[in-house]
Amino acid sequence: MSGVQSSSVPPGAQEYGGDEISALVLDPGYSSVRAGFAGEDVPKSVVPSHYGTIGPLDSPEVKYIFGDNSIHTPLPNLHIHNPMSKDGTVEDWDTATKLWEYAITSRLTNFKASNPAMNGLNDPPENGGNVEADIEASGEGEKPLEDNPLLMTETGWNSGKSRERSIEVAMENWGCPAFWLARNGVCVAFAGGKASALVVDVGVMRSPLAGNFISQQLRILFSTSNPQIPLIPHYLVASKTPVDAGAPAVATYRQFDTSIHDSFRRLEEERVLQEFKESVVQVWQGPGRLNSGQQGTTNEEVVKSWPGRPFEMPDGWNQVFGGERFRVSEGMWDAKMALTDPENPAPPQSQTIPALIQASLAAVDVDIRPHLLANVVITGGTSLLYGFTDRLNSELTQMFPGPRVRLSAPGNTAERRFASWIGGSILGSLGAFHQMWVSKKEYEEHGAGIVEKRCK
Amino acid sequence: MTSADVRDMLDLPQDGHPRAPPAKKQKTAEKRPEGITRELFALLGERAPPVAISDHVKYKGRPKWTHKTQPWEMAPFTNPARTDGLVLHHWQKKIDPKPAPVATPAETSGSSGENQETNPSNASSSYYFAKYNVTVTVPEYTDSEYETYLQHEDWTKEETDYLIDLCKEYGLRWVVIVDRYDFQSSSKVEQVDEATTALVTEPKVRTMEVLKARYYGIARKMMEVKTPVPSMAKAEFELYEKTKFNASQEATRKDMAKALLSRSTSDLQEEEILLTEIRRILNTQDKLLEERKELYARLESPQNTGAHSRMYDTSQGLNQLIQILVASDKGKKRRSIVGLNGSIDMGSSPAIGSSGQNISVGSYMRDGKDTPRDSVGGPSGSVKKGSAPAHSERRKLTAQEERIYGVTHHDRLTSGVQFRNDRVLKLVQAKSNIQAQRVQSALAQLEIPAKLVMPTARVCAEYERLVQNIHILLDIRKVYEKIESEIKVLQAQKEERERRERLERGEPEPETEENTKVDTAMDVDGAEGGRTITGQVKEVKEEKEEEANTGIGGGDAAGSLSATASARPSSGGGHKRSASVMSAVSEKSSKRQKK
């Protein structure tokens, strides 16, 4: 999209119905906040939703730390929080507003080329708090988004109250000339080039299965395996020496004068698990489930005979993972196969991915079910697990042998992760969309309730 | 002979002038093109390849920019599709105010920058994307119209308005409308508020069919109200026809669609197998039909109706022809007959056999079914069996082999080819209409199809026999009926006479007991009469045989007919139960057919 625009010739009307008005698209989620200009193909600013605070939360001298560069530094008294709840709705509006503002202004609008010391990019990692000052500096006098209409995405189950809150933030705090709230499911469908589609979003949010489910399964796997697999995040390791597979790690650990808060350690552990998910975890690609199979052997046994995948922990401990790497993802498809411990019971069978798809199809009119099955759009970072789409395809064709099942899963990881932002970007740059915006004038006339009336 | 004479003969012009222009042309063609050295050109020879050779390659030069770079600017615009006059900004080419703005699509989004700054609303009246602001038209009605036309016991005006609003809002996307349909009657809400009881009125769940039925009902009614049906324009009437909505039919359709969606894998496989089977059957049927058609077409092709050749179709005719030929040959001095022989008789050396024999070869004859086989077997053309001593060394087929190969011998053959089936059909249809119907009904009773499934020679023969038997049976039945009626008449006469005699003798009328006696006697008589009838039938048959023998004069077919007919009394246990015997026989024959 931006590539097309770089030419001096504007695109012909028939080939591209776009008209860019430098609108901004903001797509907040549990794991990250995506922000960028409408009409571009990837978000320019992707900021983790986790943020750090230093100092007591209620006092005015509390220091907020945003951004990938800053929050991973082990600082004393650093607490890690997330303003979003796990189902993708905002819990802490005040900080969420600050976080989003950071995501937009750090990279998109208030980029001050004249003062590189102040733009947040060249901050030394030790004191990531400078950004705060930056925001405050641009704070009162002028509002950060006065020139840019803002398109925000929301989950389909967002409450009316928080929808009104979001237009208030956009209009009052940021001074947007126009605003729109789009459902991220719809945006994903648009990103896939479909007007209506069955969206399978396996991110971090909402379902007990999505996202963190795999992390949780991994934690259970590590703690139950014999001997236990140590989960040491990077920041604790000062140096390491290579050891044989399965042998205990030989490493020197870093000592901190002040205690590091558990929330920080949790965040760092998640990063290690993330790496593990990306490099080791695999989904049994079908046909059938992991514990079923032909000729007396289960697929699980078949999988065990396949070559394993090695993984080295930050402290040097390493192991080759065989069948386990399939096992941790199987709970998404078959609740009985989920690893459990007392704190984490197995998810209900009705919450597995096939059951969820079946339920959502049963909820719509029978006439469009074949159409939806022919347009299944897959998104979310967890869907990038190796073998995921194959498995989903085999499960769907098994469930619905009659109609044609067609999955649309972009191979590009960015497109898979940021599909809802991309859909918003497409929507916000369409010429025909500009009649839809809720303008500041309308907001002033009708109040925040207008978002309920207009954006539905 | 001079060249001028030749020219004169060939109608060419007298002198070489017309040749001059080509020569000139050649000269110009040989002219050395520019940019090629004389030495090189000499090397190319006389006929230079038609390649344009130039010594310098012309590269595309730098484009000459005649105009300055076009400045772009961030220009404000308004969208006429909006009511609030929101001003947004986009990049567009800056156009000098001096020349008249050219209205290209890219520039229609806003005209000249100057104008826009002063009066943006005016400039952007032609915003390109405003034309996509389309809404659906939904039926409109006033309160009084609603009262008169659109009353419905299940719908309030309020809810109807709500439905129509939703339809407009979501552009008649029914899936969305049903999803968002959440009507709360204001009066009901008030009631609920007032009532402190926990009784919450269950909101009515409206299915898509109900909503559609209501909406299209309204649309239909309002169209009728606006213009009466007879005076509608064609397009309008088509639209009107489309508003017909049958909710129950739609519901059933959806149920069926649901069932179609939830088919299991085994169902699908079965369906697929059935489908391929059907396709296969249809294919083979088509092929069979085509083949049959082709066969019929081949048979029905004109059978060389020329009078000359028809004359020589039979062997006698051929003989005659040979006689004529030989006679005419004798008249001539040269022995051209040998050559003629060779040309007629393919593959046989003219020396073998007499010319007469060779010409009588059946390769021209279409009448003998066995001829092709013979011709295959014979080394020199084919000759009718036994007629040529030259081929006596050929292997004789045994009776069994003959049966296997279907070789039959005929004394006489009708000309042309025919299907056995046709012959069989002819058998059935030969007699009068009533008779034919009777035969057919008899066949139907025996469950034998009118068209034989597999008309092999044997089956056909059996069938022929069967049909003949049926004919006989029918004849017998007819005679039987005639005689029975005669007996009845005679008996009645006899009784009458006896009664009269009794009356004359003055005897009183027999009592009712006697009457019953007579009845029983009659029964006995009936049984006896049956026997007598069989006897009579025998007689009748013999008469018929005689008739046949005399009438047809010992023709072979008649002979066989009489043979079977005469064989019957001896083999069958009497004609009393001839029908059952017949059926037994026919069953056998039908079994054979099936085989």
Side-chain angles (χ1 to χ4, degrees):
Chain A
M1 279 169 263
S2 54
V4 172
Q5 280 298 283
S6 67
S7 159
S8 64
V9 182
Q14 68 279 5
E15 66 193 64
Y16 173 58
D19 184 16
E20 289 178 11
I21 53 165
S22 61
L24 283 168
V25 179
L26 181 69
D27 177 28
Y30 177 80
S31 67
S32 65
V33 177
R34 281 78 67 178
F37 284 105
E40 289 174 349
D41 52 2
V42 278
K44 272 212 172 94
S45 162
V46 180
V47 175
S49 285
H50 293 271
Y51 67 94
T53 53
I54 295 174
L57 265 182
D58 300 330
S59 65
E61 64 262 27
V62 62
K63 212 169 174 188
Y64 288 100
I65 298 172
F66 299 116
D68 246 338
N69 292 329
S70 322
I71 59 168
H72 297 304
T73 318
L75 295 174
N77 295 323
L78 178 69
H79 291 234
I80 300 294
H81 312 270
N82 195 327
M84 309 289 283
S85 75
K86 277 223 172 164
D87 63 1
T89 49
V90 183
E91 270 178 347
D92 177 4
W93 271 99
D94 292 334
T95 336
T97 311
K98 286 192 182 111
L99 177 68
W100 297 343
E101 208 169 300
Y102 168 78
I104 293 169
T105 54
S106 66
R107 298 285 162 88
L108 302 173
T109 54
N110 271 16
F111 187 81
K112 289 192 175 68
S114 57
N115 189 356
M118 295 292 282
N119 64 12
L121 287 175
N122 300 325
D123 287 345
E126 285 81 32
N127 55 346
N130 254 5
V131 181
E132 171 65 10
D134 186 15
I135 291 165
E136 273 176 11
S138 68
E140 286 310 304
E142 71 202 76
K143 289 174 176 170
L145 294 180
E146 261 170 350
D147 294 334
N148 310 89
L150 178 70
L151 190 145
M152 240 179 100
T153 65
E154 55 160 357
T155 55
W157 46 89
N158 205 3
S159 69
K161 222 173 173 183
S162 71
R163 304 182 85 197
E164 285 178 15
R165 188 70 196 266
S166 52
I167 194 175
E168 277 169 22
V169 167
M171 294 291 180
E172 309 280 346
N173 296 24
W174 299 339
C176 294
F179 180 75
W180 185 260
L181 203 53
R183 297 224 158 81
N184 51 19
V186 177
C187 289
V188 170
F190 286 164
K194 326 257 181 203
S196 51
L198 176 69
V199 176
V200 182
D201 184 348
V202 201
V204 189
M205 299 185 278
R206 188 67 170 181
S207 158
L209 290 178
N212 285 3
F213 172 76
I214 306 270
S215 302
Q216 192 196 84
Q217 294 279 300
L218 283 175
R219 279 176 197 272
I220 298 172
L221 174 73
F222 289 171
S223 61
T224 53
S225 63
N226 193 21
Q228 268 198 11
I229 298 167
L231 183 57
I232 307 290
H234 282 278
Y235 76 97
L236 284 175
V237 180
S239 69
K240 62 179 178 183
T241 45
V243 292
D244 284 341
V250 180
T252 50
Y253 297 103
R254 206 178 268 174
Q255 297 300 322
F256 294 95
D257 301 337
T258 50
S259 69
I260 298 295
H261 197 262
D262 278 349
S263 61
F264 182 77
R265 180 173 176 144
R266 180 110 191 150
L267 177 73
E268 295 304 305
E269 280 176 2
E270 280 299 326
R271 290 181 88 197
V272 178
L273 290 177
Q274 178 78 23
E275 199 183 331
F276 189 86
K277 278 191 257 181
E278 282 167 5
S279 51
V280 176
V281 176
Q282 200 168 341
V283 179
W284 166 248
Q285 76 271 30
R289 309 210 144 152
L290 192 57
N291 58 354
S292 65
Q294 303 104 357
Q295 293 130 27
T297 59
T298 62
N299 289 328
E300 194 164 12
E301 282 164 43
V302 171
V303 153
K304 270 179 189 154
S305 66
W306 290 3
R309 287 194 186 186
F311 185 77
E312 187 183 308
M313 288 290 177
D315 58 357
W317 182 94
N318 65 84
Q319 180 65 282
V320 172
F321 290 86
E324 308 94 321
R325 71 181 200 271
F326 289 91
R327 185 66 200 275
V328 287
S329 64
E330 189 60 17
M332 290 196 289
W333 312 95
D334 186 3
K336 284 188 291 252
M337 288 292 280
L339 301 167
T340 53
D341 65 357
E343 290 146 47
N344 301 300
Q349 188 71 45
S350 64
Q351 291 282 315
T352 58
I353 291 172
L356 284 172
I357 290 174
Q358 199 155 29
S360 26
L361 272 180
V364 299
D365 192 73
V366 67
D367 280 349
I368 60 164
R369 278 179 216 173
H371 177 80
L372 288 186
L373 275 175
N375 294 288
V376 181
V377 180
I378 300 169
T379 184
T382 310
S383 72
L384 288 165
L385 290 181
Y386 191 82
F388 184 92
T389 39
D390 293 339
R391 177 62 178 275
L392 186 61
N393 195 23
S394 90
E395 291 275 340
L396 282 180
T397 44
Q398 199 200 332
M399 259 197 303
F400 306 97
R404 191 174 62 120
V405 175
R406 213 169 139 191
L407 304 188
S408 148
N412 184 343
T413 54
E415 276 178 40
R416 196 83 76 85
R417 286 167 66 211
F418 306 134
S420 75
W421 184 90
I422 292 168
S425 159
I426 293 170
L427 188 63
S429 62
L430 280 182
F433 177 73
H434 299 328
Q435 64 187 27
M436 309 276 287
W437 294 104
V438 178
S439 69
K440 188 155 196 150
K441 195 173 155 197
E442 283 170 318
Y443 169 75
E444 278 158 7
E445 270 175 35
H446 299 93
I450 193 171
V451 78
E452 281 289 298
K453 249 183 263 165
R454 293 282 297 279
C455 312
K456 45 189 183 181
Chain B
M1 205 193 278
T2 61
S3 67
D5 293 339
V6 175
R7 281 178 180 285
D8 193 41
M9 274 193 271
L10 293 174
D11 271 348
L12 287 172
Q14 275 304 319
D15 48 9
H17 282 309
R19 286 192 59 171
K24 241 183 213 170
K25 218 180 212 172
Q26 218 170 353
K27 251 181 206 168
T28 51
E30 275 173 11
K31 202 172 183 185
R32 184 160 57 94
E34 227 177 295
I36 189 163
T37 52
R38 186 172 47 83
E39 291 79 8
L40 180 61
F41 188 71
L43 283 176
L44 285 176
E46 274 189 24
R47 288 168 195 269
V51 184
I53 302 162
S54 57
D55 60 342
H56 64 284
V57 185
K58 274 180 189 159
Y59 290 108
K60 200 175 166 191
R62 284 180 70 86
K64 285 168 194 146
W65 301 114
T66 52
H67 52 84
K68 285 189 289 184
T69 51
Q70 194 93 46
W72 283 62
E73 59 168 356
M74 193 74 170
F77 70 97
T78 58
N79 191 339
R82 297 187 66 95
T83 52
D84 59 348
L86 171 71
V87 179
L88 297 169
H89 299 256
H90 63 179
W91 286 104
Q92 63 178 36
K93 268 184 191 166
K94 193 173 187 172
I95 297 161
D96 287 335
K98 278 164 250 167
V102 186
T104 62
E107 288 156 6
T108 46
S109 49
S111 54
S112 82
E114 247 71 358
N115 284 345
Q116 237 172 19
E117 270 160 37
T118 52
N119 191 0
S121 63
N122 174 37
S124 61
S125 60
S126 58
Y127 181 56
Y128 181 74
F129 294 103
K131 69 182 179 194
Y132 294 115
N133 183 25
V134 285
T135 52
V136 292
T137 50
V138 292
E140 284 167 1
Y141 47 84
T142 60
D143 283 359
S144 61
E145 274 175 338
Y146 186 85
E147 289 300 317
T148 44
Y149 301 116
L150 305 173
Q151 296 278 16
H152 195 286
E153 70 268 18
D154 205 21
W155 289 80
T156 59
K157 169 126 196 328
E158 207 180 345
E159 191 170 2
T160 309
D161 290 346
Y162 176 72
L163 171 67
I164 298 290
D165 283 349
L166 272 189
C167 289
K168 198 179 165 75
E169 173 88 38
Y170 294 116
L172 286 179
R173 290 176 185 88
W174 288 103
V175 179
V176 185
I177 292 170
V178 171
D179 185 48
R180 303 289 151 90
Y181 196 87
D182 180 26
F183 177 68
Q184 274 142 358
S185 165
S186 56
S187 58
K188 260 185 204 161
V189 169
E190 278 164 29
Q191 278 171 9
V192 171
D193 287 344
E194 284 164 17
T196 47
T197 54
L199 185 110
V200 179
T201 48
E202 189 70 23
K204 249 183 227 165
V205 177
R206 302 270 195 198
T207 61
M208 187 187 285
E209 283 73 46
V210 173
L211 294 180
K212 274 184 176 176
R214 177 67 176 154
Y215 175 81
Y216 287 120
I218 291 170
R220 198 175 169 77
K221 197 84 206 168
M222 290 321 291
M223 283 180 82
E224 274 173 34
V225 170
K226 223 178 271 169
T227 44
V229 179
S231 58
M232 275 183 190
K234 197 186 169 210
E236 210 175 354
F237 186 72
E238 273 168 12
L239 196 67
Y240 175 75
E241 280 297 295
K242 275 181 194 159
T243 55
K244 267 185 194 163
F245 183 76
N246 187 343
S248 63
Q249 190 190 339
E250 190 75 353
T252 3
R253 185 187 67 77
K254 281 200 177 158
D255 280 346
M256 284 161 81
K258 221 174 268 178
L260 192 70
L261 267 185
S262 56
R263 284 173 302 174
S264 70
T265 324
S266 58
D267 287 349
L268 272 178
Q269 275 167 356
E270 199 184 321
E271 198 182 291
E272 199 146 301
I273 289 167
L274 284 176
L275 275 175
T276 47
E277 194 72 1
I278 285 176
R279 219 171 293 138
R280 197 180 58 76
I281 289 169
L282 285 177
N283 274 348
T284 44
Q285 198 184 2
D286 284 353
K287 222 156 85 185
L288 205 73
L289 280 176
E290 210 155 278
E291 275 172 10
R292 182 173 289 180
K293 218 191 223 165
E294 197 190 310
L295 205 57
Y296 270 105
R298 199 168 286 177
L299 287 175
E300 280 160 10
S301 65
Q303 296 200 348
N304 198 4
T305 47
H308 337 284
S309 57
R310 174 61 60 81
M311 261 171 66
Y312 311 118
D313 261 2
T314 58
S315 51
Q316 291 154 346
L318 275 174
N319 267 332
Q320 216 176 326
L321 175 68
I322 287 161
Q323 298 301 327
I324 296 164
L325 283 174
V326 168
S328 65
D329 203 36
K330 270 177 186 164
K332 283 186 182 173
K333 287 272 154 47
R334 276 195 248 162
R335 286 185 57 85
S336 65
I337 192 78
V338 177
L340 182 70
N341 233 354
S343 70
I344 288 175
D345 182 40
M346 295 163 295
S348 72
S349 77
I352 292 178
S354 76
S355 61
Q357 235 178 359
N358 272 333
I359 292 171
S360 73
V361 153
S363 57
Y364 280 84
M365 294 169 23
R366 279 172 276 103
D367 53 356
K369 274 182 196 158
D370 49 348
T371 329
R373 281 181 205 284
D374 284 349
S375 65
V376 170
S380 67
S382 69
V383 181
K384 265 209 170 159
K385 215 169 254 169
S387 68
H391 305 298
S392 57
E393 78 275 5
R394 193 173 53 196
R395 196 166 65 90
K396 269 265 186 196
L397 291 174
T398 64
Q400 196 191 357
E401 279 171 333
E402 278 184 358
R403 209 172 56 242
I404 289 170
Y405 298 131
V407 178
T408 50
H409 304 278
H410 301 269
D411 297 329
R412 253 180 86 220
L413 284 167
T414 53
S415 68
V417 181
Q418 63 177 358
F419 281 114
R420 291 201 193 103
N421 241 333
D422 291 348
R423 213 172 64 197
V424 162
L425 272 180
K426 250 179 237 162
L427 268 179
V428 177
Q429 287 161 355
K431 307 282 172 172
S432 71
N433 245 351
I434 302 163
Q435 187 80 350
Q437 272 175 15
R438 277 186 191 149
V439 170
Q440 270 165 4
S441 70
L443 282 174
Q445 216 175 343
L446 297 170
E447 293 180 356
I448 294 171
K451 196 152 199 176
L452 289 178
V453 180
M454 198 181 274
T456 60
R458 275 170 68 200
V459 171
C460 278
E462 283 295 323
Y463 189 80
E464 223 173 307
R465 211 158 64 78
L466 173 69
V467 170
Q468 273 159 3
N469 281 339
I470 287 171
H471 281 310
I472 293 164
L473 174 70
L474 288 173
D475 285 348
I476 290 166
R477 197 185 280 167
K478 215 159 85 188
V479 172
Y480 166 74
E481 277 163 8
K482 207 171 110 194
I483 289 168
E484 201 176 32
S485 64
E486 270 175 21
I487 287 168
K488 270 184 188 162
V489 170
L490 285 175
Q491 262 182 348
Q493 279 177 350
K494 188 183 154 203
E495 270 174 32
E496 186 66 31
R497 207 170 49 217
E498 278 175 357
R499 202 166 53 88
R500 226 177 288 145
E501 279 171 6
R502 260 186 309 224
L503 277 175
E504 280 169 11
R505 272 181 264 148
E507 280 179 22
E509 283 283 306
E511 292 303 310
T512 49
E513 289 173 37
E514 273 186 56
N515 267 343
T516 55
K517 255 185 199 168
V518 169
D519 282 351
T520 53
M522 277 290 290
D523 280 359
V524 174
D525 268 3
E528 281 172 347
R531 241 167 267 152
T532 55
I533 287 162
T534 56
Q536 281 171 333
V537 164
K538 263 184 197 171
E539 285 168 21
V540 168
K541 185 179 301 240
E542 277 157 19
E543 278 171 24
K544 274 195 71 116
E545 281 172 31
E546 279 166 20
E547 270 177 21
N549 284 338
T550 53
I552 303 169
D556 272 11
S560 70
L561 188 144
S562 66
T564 52
S566 58
R568 287 204 54 81
S570 57
S571 66
H575 279 288
K576 242 191 306 185
R577 303 186 219 299
S578 56
S580 65
V581 172
M582 275 296 302
S583 67
V585 169
S586 59
E587 268 167 25
K588 268 185 222 161
S589 67
S590 67
K591 270 177 203 162
R592 256 179 244 138
Q593 278 188 9
K594 275 167 196 165
K595 273 178 206 164

